[in-house]
């Protein structure tokens, strides 16, 4: 179990991460984050995914520099998302 916090909670997060990177070993990594809705914080003008877990896939560069990214899922509590062929494993 992991507790994700929103970017607006960065200064009070303790050991909870804002973003988790899932390295595939294949150059197209995934990033998982929580998009906390906030009336005054950096997400105040957000239009999509408020109070949801966001799963983003980046193609190329292992997510370490500019590359094309794709929103793969917006998840509410109790939902899940399966990454097919993770890291080229065929699973």
């Amino acid at each position: 179990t992991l507790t994700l916090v929103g970017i607006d909670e960065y200064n009070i997060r303790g050991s909870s991460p804002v973003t988790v990177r899932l390295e595939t070993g294949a150059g197209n990594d995934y990033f998982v984050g929580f998009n906390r809705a906030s009336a005054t914080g950096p997400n105040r003008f957000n239009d999509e995914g408020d109070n949801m877990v966001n799963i983003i896939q980046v193609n190329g560069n292992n997510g370490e520099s500019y590359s094309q990214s794709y929103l793969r899922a917006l998840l509410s509590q109790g939902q899940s998302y399966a990454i097919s062929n993770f890291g080229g494993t065929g699973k």
Side-chain angles (χ1 to χ4, degrees), residues 29-65:
D29 292 339
Y30 290 81
F31 291 84
V32 180
F34 183 66
N35 198 20
R36 168 97 51 213
S38 172
T40 60
N43 285 344
R44 68 185 173 274
F45 299 118
N46 188 50
D47 291 332
E48 188 175 22
D50 286 343
N51 295 320
M52 300 178 90
V53 171
N54 295 242
I55 300 177
I56 309 293
Q57 179 188 8
V58 295
N59 282 346
N61 301 319
N62 290 316
E64 294 180 6
S65 63

Side-chain angles (χ1 to χ4, degrees), residues 84-91:
S84 60
N85 196 27
F86 185 83
T89 62
K91 298 179 183 179

Side-chain angles (χ1 to χ4, degrees), residues 55 73 75-76 78-82:
I55 300 177
L75 305 175
S76 296
Q79 292 184 305
S80 63
Y81 176 78

